Amino acid sequence: MFARGAGAGVAVLLSLVPHLVRAEEDIRIPPPVSGRSAGGTTPLLPADLLARLGLLEARLENIRTYMGRSKSLPPLIRLEEAEPREVYAQAIIFHGRVQQLGFEQMRSAREELPRIDRPPGAADIMEVLNATLYRVLQLERHFGIQKPVIEEAQPSSTTPTEVFNVVLEAGQLAHELLDEKTTSSRVYSVILFGLQLARVLHAERAPRFLPEPAPFIPAKTPGDVYQVLLEAFEATRTLNEQLDHPGPKLVVREYQRDVVPDDVLELAGILLSQQVRLHLDLLGRFPDLPFVDFTRKLPSHSFQRASELKAILESLARAKLVKKRKR
């Protein structure tokens, strides 16, 4: 499931070079413990990603102990039947949190990842994880942490679903270390991204006007936004089922704690990965990067946009669309 074609670029280097030195520092990114690589005769497997995540979690746990931070709470959701696109989207969120941690503790510049215009594979995900590991190793050096950690090989039967759910857990751990947690404004920007993708899809493929914009309703909470996004996710499942590709299933745990903006961000990331697939199936191309509003927003603003997103996705589902081209 994780095969990748030509153009591996940096990801190939990360996997093939025994020790990669970046920015003229002696911080080294080790090759996968399995010996597999992105461009060799034995390509990367989900097992390699899970092993790298284990290394990342162990090193982040060292940093958490050093900083005296609380243990992270479990994610509110789990995913079943995940695919590389969902893993990649969540790995991007994880990477962003570790980049923020690097800025807060070391004032390091943010390392931007190259944008890909193809379905992501194991090498793309490993590239994101290695970029994340590089920043974590910098943080360990900054704090003077020298506790050794060994990457442990994982069974070759490891699935993308297992990888995805560990990425969620690692992301929660990284978030707990931040001074500046995920804000409602950040959540709004991601939801607006998804809304603009949905508007483009509706304008090109649905033979009707867009649904009326949702009104602004004050006093909404992150939990209210979360519930609307869950309903929007179900609309994408309906669309994908019509296109003979049901996609992943969400398992929502009992709400044993209040929903926070970080939980909403994780769910919005999953929803975005599904919308990208819809663009590929229905328009035959990856979506362009839309304008995103980064001004200060409240949960009520996110609720308004999430409600509009849900209405558009449901309108698309009623249109019973068909693929524009075979994948």
Side-chain angles (χ1 to χ4, degrees):
M1 294 181 68
F2 278 86
R4 177 182 174 179
V10 177
V12 172
L13 293 175
L14 291 173
S15 300
L16 293 180
V17 178
H19 294 291
L20 179 67
V21 182
R22 303 163 76 167
E24 299 182 356
E25 298 181 32
D26 58 348
I27 292 178
R28 303 174 184 273
I29 304 297
V33 67
S34 68
R36 290 183 286 263
S37 63
T41 56
T42 53
L44 295 172
L45 297 175
D48 298 302
L49 304 176
L50 192 62
R52 184 82 358 142
L53 281 165
L55 179 64
L56 274 161
E57 283 193 301
R59 292 192 176 279
L60 281 171
E61 182 62 24
N62 288 344
I63 293 172
R64 184 196 69 78
T65 301
Y66 180 92
M67 295 177 70
R69 295 296 172 88
S70 302
K71 289 190 174 182
S72 57
L73 297 171
L76 289 178
I77 54 175
R78 291 185 67 82
L79 213 59
E80 295 180 352
E81 302 174 24
E83 293 189 1
R85 70 186 69 250
E86 288 85 42
V87 180
Y88 182 79
Q90 210 62 44
I92 293 291
I93 293 175
F94 177 34
H95 174 266
R97 291 171 181 161
V98 173
Q99 292 295 308
Q100 174 65 22
L101 180 62
F103 173 75
E104 289 180 357
Q105 299 300 326
M106 305 182 299
R107 287 300 184 260
S108 59
R110 184 180 181 88
E111 181 180 5
E112 298 296 337
L113 295 167
R115 181 172 181 250
I116 62 172
D117 57 357
R118 62 184 177 282
D124 299 296
I125 299 165
M126 184 63 87
E127 181 176 351
V128 176
L129 296 182
N130 281 337
T132 307
L133 176 60
Y134 179 71
R135 188 67 79 215
V136 169
L137 292 173
Q138 278 189 320
L139 283 159
E140 281 192 323
R141 169 178 289 186
H142 175 74
F143 290 130
I145 298 171
Q146 298 182 355
K147 185 175 181 180
V149 179
I150 298 174
E151 184 171 283
E152 298 181 0
Q154 300 298 316
S156 58
S157 59
T158 299
T159 65
T161 294
E162 293 175 275
V163 177
F164 176 89
N165 289 315
V166 174
V167 174
L168 270 185
E169 294 169 2
Q172 291 281 334
L173 173 55
H175 189 259
E176 190 60 39
L177 305 181
L178 296 177
D179 292 329
E180 182 180 335
K181 309 298 185 186
T182 300
T183 64
S184 295
S185 299
R186 173 61 177 156
V187 171
Y188 178 87
S189 70
V190 176
I191 293 175
L192 184 59
F193 190 146
L195 174 58
Q196 293 184 26
L197 296 185
R199 285 170 174 168
V200 169
L201 198 60
H202 196 283
E204 295 203 25
R205 295 302 307 273
R208 57 175 62 90
F209 293 111
L210 282 167
E212 288 295 321
F216 178 85
I217 304 174
K220 292 299 181 182
T221 67
D224 296 321
V225 182
Y226 199 80
Q227 184 58 45
V228 174
L229 289 182
L230 286 174
E231 295 168 8
F233 177 83
E234 288 307 311
T236 65
R237 275 190 57 81
T238 299
L239 275 163
N240 279 317
E241 285 171 355
Q242 294 173 0
L243 301 171
D244 299 321
H245 190 282
K249 297 178 182 178
L250 272 177
V251 179
V252 184
R253 295 173 173 173
E254 292 288 332
Y255 286 9
Q256 297 177 348
R257 58 180 173 85
D258 290 339
V259 175
V260 297
D262 187 57
D263 300 315
V264 187
L265 179 66
E266 291 175 342
L267 179 55
I270 298 171
L271 186 57
L272 272 179
S273 70
Q274 298 308 296
Q275 289 185 257
V276 169
R277 181 176 192 94
L278 289 172
H279 266 253
L280 282 170
D281 282 343
L282 295 172
L283 302 183
R285 66 176 187 269
F286 272 82
D288 295 327
L289 286 175
F291 168 76
V292 177
D293 187 351
F294 286 102
T295 56
R296 191 173 299 278
K297 298 294 181 182
L298 303 172
S300 289
H301 292 106
S302 293
F303 183 86
Q304 179 184 29
R305 297 307 187 190
S307 297
E308 185 178 352
L309 170 59
K310 174 190 152 207
I312 293 174
L313 291 171
E314 289 175 342
S315 176
L316 283 164
R318 289 193 295 272
K320 299 187 182 302
L321 306 179
V322 296
K323 290 184 181 181
K324 188 169 185 177
R325 65 178 178 87
K326 291 186 178 181
R327 293 289 313 284

